[in-house]
């Protein structure tokens, strides 16, 4: 199907590792992305090209891809990581972009 | 510093029109494909439209095709979105975004559109 599926929510305690998945056929596109959106703010780029971390983002964030599943891993989770996280894909001809439904990360 | 600033949002009646603008600074605007993304209240991000660097090609999501028009003025480093035949489901925050590869590396702060009678 032409959609990206994410779990609606993930909860972790401080210091633990959070794993957020994104699955769907569009992820066969060469490059896929993760964004963080804190409450009331615009999104920010976290991971680009499946695994590359944006320079302004903490090293605790990492990305991977296996087949049609994209994974965002946040190690040593902190209260400041609490946010909505979105995966995104798009074709290299730029005819479309597609976002996952978003995952709300709660830090307990 | 790279900066995107949307404007033009507001309250409009169903069936009405609105023109959103995005003023940019800090980069060579004409070198980038640009995008509009929206977010309904309490909902996720939804891609709206793309426009190529020189404006030669434009692409739209099915939900807005035929009603919205994306355009740009490279001389003024500005991006636009003309919204027509607006519906309640078009309500939300509209973000201007700079593309990098097939993703977005810079977002504006958004402008709010409310479609209601």
């Amino acid at each position: 199907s032409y959609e990206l599926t994410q779990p609606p929510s993930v909860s972790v305690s401080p210091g633990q590792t959070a794993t957020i998945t994104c699955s769907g056929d569009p992820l066969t596109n060469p490059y896929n992305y993760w964004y963080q959106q804190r409450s009331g703010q615009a999104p920010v780029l976290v991971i680009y090209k499946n695994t590359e971390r944006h320079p302004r983002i903490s090293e605790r964030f990492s990305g991977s891809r296996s087949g049609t599943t994209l994974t965002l891993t946040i190690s040593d989770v902190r209260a400041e990581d609490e946010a909505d996280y979105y995966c995104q894909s798009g074709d290299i001809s730029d005819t479309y972009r597609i976002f996952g439904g978003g995952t709300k990360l709660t830090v307990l | 510093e790279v900066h995107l600033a949307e404007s033009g949002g507001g309250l409009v009646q169903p069936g009405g029109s609105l023109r959103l603008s995005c003023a940019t600074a800090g980069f060579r605007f004409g070198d980038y494909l640009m995008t509009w993304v929206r977010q309904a209240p309490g909902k996720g991000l939804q891609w709206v439209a793309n426009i190529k660097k020189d404006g030669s090609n434009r692409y739209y999501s099915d939900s807005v095709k035929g009603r919205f028009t994306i355009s740009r003025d490279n001389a003024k480093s500005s991006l636009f979105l003309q919204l027509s035949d607006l519906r309640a489901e078009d309500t939300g925050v509209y973000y201007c975004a700079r593309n990098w590869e097939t993703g977005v590396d810079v977002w504006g702060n958004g402008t709010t559109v409310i479609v209601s009678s």
Side-chain angles (χ1 to χ4, degrees), chain B residues 75-91:
Chain B
K76 296 183 178 179
S77 299
S78 296
L79 179 71
F80 306 98
L81 186 67
Q82 179 69 43
L83 290 65
S84 303
D85 188 23
L86 282 162
R87 307 165 181 169
E89 54 264 36
D90 296 318
T91 293

Side-chain angles (χ1 to χ4, degrees), chain A residues 31 33 35 37 41-45 48-49 56 86 88-97 99-101, chain B residues 33 35 37 39 43-47 50 52 59-60 95 99-110:
Chain A
Y31 298 145
Y33 303 78
Y35 304 93
Q37 187 180 34
Q41 298 184 19
V44 297
L45 177 63
Y48 62 96
K49 295 184 180 181
R56 294 178 303 191
Y86 295 90
Q88 179 255 308
S89 186
D91 69 319
I92 59 175
S93 298
D94 300 319
T95 65
Y96 75 86
R97 299 286 183 263
F99 289 91
Chain B
L33 180 145
T35 289
V37 176
Q39 186 170 34
K43 303 296 184 182
L45 302 172
Q46 181 188 28
W47 172 68
N50 282 354
K52 293 281 195 179
Y59 305 99
Y60 301 91
Y95 294 102
N99 265 243
W100 181 62
E101 298 288 353
T102 56
V104 171
D105 67 340
V106 182
W107 299 74
N109 286 324

Side-chain angles (χ1 to χ4, degrees), chain A:
Chain A
S1 63
Y2 202 77
E3 60 184 16
L4 297 179
T5 300
Q6 299 181 233
S9 63
V10 168
S11 299
V12 295
S13 298
Q16 290 188 330
T17 297
T19 301
I20 300 173
T21 59
C22 171
S23 61
D25 291 341
L27 294 175
T28 55
N29 283 320
Y31 298 145
N32 303 287
Y33 303 78
W34 287 101
Y35 304 93
Q36 176 193 66
Q37 187 180 34
R38 294 191 172 105
S39 180
Q41 298 184 19
V44 297
L45 177 63
V46 176
I47 299 290
Y48 62 96
K49 295 184 180 181
N50 305 316
T51 61
E52 302 296 315
R53 185 179 59 252
H54 191 281
R56 294 178 303 191
I57 299 299
S58 167
E59 294 180 355
R60 299 181 294 105
F61 288 77
S62 63
S64 64
R65 180 177 70 167
S66 177
T68 58
T69 298
L70 201 68
T71 301
L72 175 68
T73 302
I74 310 170
S75 60
D76 186 24
V77 167
R78 303 174 182 177
E80 67 204 46
D81 300 329
E82 189 162 281
D84 294 324
Y85 291 86
Y86 295 90
C87 59
Q88 179 255 308
S89 186
D91 69 319
I92 59 175
S93 298
D94 300 319
T95 65
Y96 75 86
R97 299 286 183 263
I98 184 170
F99 289 91
T103 298
K104 182 177 181 61
L105 175 66
T106 299
V107 182
L108 301 171

